[in-house]
Amino acid sequence: MKTIKEKTIGDLTYRILEKDSGYLGVIISDKKGRIGTFAGPDRDVLWNRLFEEAAKAHKDYFGFSGAKARFLNFFPGEPAGFYSARYLEPKGERVYKEKARDQLLATVPLADATAGTGLGEKVLSVFQRTDVVSPFEKIRTAEMLRGPLADAFVRAAARFTLGDGAAALSDMAEILQKYDNAKWPVATYLPFLWQPDRHMFLKPAVTKDFATRVEHRFASDYESTLTINVYQSLLNLADQTEHELADLKPRDRIDIQSFIWVVGGYHDVEDAA
């Protein structure tokens, strides 16, 4: 048998082997050796199954039903969840992101951003309004938005928001690399705020953790490189999460992103206070 696909995430290695008839999938732990072996005729289906099986064995696995129960534990009441008093507090998960969105729409309308000039400081002000982008990333973002490539970045972000996927993302990545800041939170922040009904913000660590907990392929699809395939997998995760939470009536992906953050980032009820 020969290995035709392999990926290592943390202490687990996932491997697909080709047999005379069909394929063999194995999960190998650095500490325990081979911990799972599965056979199947379709290597893509088998590849996805490896991550599903690993997720189920993960000590923190709980699926969408468990994720929903965890979220409601942090935001109880009547109504609960996205409409609870705690969730909608000024310092809660939604309000400050809404204010950043409103500021962006008022000061840098999407239609103006596609060909606008001199918008760097206004966009920077929106970045500084929230804490979802790390301080280190903000420092380098400020340098970029106060430099000669600010307009090019804002235009590329606007084009990406409007659907110029791979090309616009590549342009953003090229600009951000010049500042050693080609990071997913920076690249996805503006599209997410301009159109939270369509786009999604990506905080990698907590989103990968969430995907593992609910058995979504984003956990294996994720790469730090800014590529359209990773973003499309993120959107698929957002779509599935929206579907699973339909009874909680999320307004948009501000709520979906908040849900993901709460499920993976909160440790006790005091975090929601």
Side-chain angles (χ1 to χ4, degrees):
M1 293 186 291
K2 66 176 181 178
T3 299
I4 59 172
K5 193 169 187 177
E6 181 176 295
K7 188 165 189 174
T8 298
I9 301 176
D11 65 347
L12 296 181
T13 296
Y14 305 86
R15 185 176 296 157
I16 297 291
L17 304 170
E18 188 174 26
K19 306 190 300 178
D20 291 337
S21 58
Y23 301 93
L24 192 70
V26 297
I27 306 171
I28 303 168
S29 167
D30 289 347
K31 298 177 181 178
K32 300 178 182 179
R34 184 178 295 194
I35 60 174
T37 302
F38 311 92
D42 187 311
R43 71 175 191 177
D44 293 329
V45 171
L46 186 58
W47 181 249
N48 289 334
R49 184 183 175 190
L50 293 182
F51 292 95
E52 291 172 0
E53 295 293 340
K56 290 176 182 177
H58 194 279
K59 64 182 179 64
D60 294 322
Y61 167 76
F62 40 54
F64 275 106
S65 61
K68 187 187 300 185
R70 180 173 171 81
F71 179 74
L72 293 175
N73 181 59
F74 289 118
F75 297 102
E78 185 57 48
F82 299 122
Y83 298 88
S84 70
R86 174 172 280 171
Y87 183 79
L88 295 174
E89 287 177 350
K91 294 184 179 180
E93 284 298 327
R94 182 175 179 90
V95 172
Y96 76 98
K97 297 168 191 172
E98 279 188 322
K99 289 182 176 179
R101 177 203 62 190
D102 292 345
Q103 179 181 337
L104 180 64
L105 294 177
T107 60
V108 189
L110 182 56
D112 295 348
T114 57
T117 59
L119 298 174
E121 286 291 346
K122 293 179 180 178
V123 169
L124 177 58
S125 178
V126 177
F127 269 94
Q128 292 174 333
R129 182 151 196 152
T130 72
D131 61 359
V132 297
V133 175
S134 76
F136 181 76
E137 291 165 344
K138 282 184 183 179
I139 290 171
R140 296 194 171 182
T141 300
E143 182 183 359
M144 185 256 307
L145 289 172
R146 287 173 173 154
L149 296 178
D151 288 339
F153 175 78
V154 174
R155 290 172 185 168
R159 286 171 33 229
F160 183 78
T161 305
L162 292 170
D164 187 14
L169 184 59
S170 177
D171 289 346
M172 279 196 285
E174 183 176 352
I175 293 166
L176 291 171
Q177 284 165 0
K178 296 181 186 298
Y179 296 87
D180 193 23
N181 200 29
K183 310 294 184 182
W184 280 109
V186 181
T188 57
Y189 186 79
L190 294 177
F192 172 65
L193 292 180
W194 266 320
Q195 291 188 341
D197 57 328
R198 292 182 56 215
H199 287 283
M200 187 65 180
F201 176 73
L202 175 51
K203 195 80 169 175
V206 72
T207 308
K208 287 190 295 179
D209 175 76
F210 176 81
T212 297
R213 292 171 184 260
V214 300
E215 297 182 28
H216 191 277
R217 62 182 174 84
F218 180 80
S220 60
D221 288 343
Y222 174 77
E223 296 178 359
S224 60
T225 304
L226 303 184
T227 65
I228 197 64
N229 289 341
V230 172
Y231 190 70
Q232 287 171 341
S233 182
L234 173 68
L235 293 183
N236 183 270
L237 174 62
D239 287 343
Q240 185 175 349
T241 304
E242 262 180 337
H243 175 74
E244 296 287 344
L245 301 183
D247 61 319
L248 298 184
K249 297 181 172 58
R251 303 165 187 81
D252 51 30
R253 287 178 178 171
I254 292 177
D255 283 343
I256 297 302
Q257 188 274 327
S258 297
F259 180 85
I260 289 172
W261 172 253
V262 168
V263 169
Y266 280 27
H267 300 291
D268 55 52
V269 175
E270 292 303 313
D271 289 335

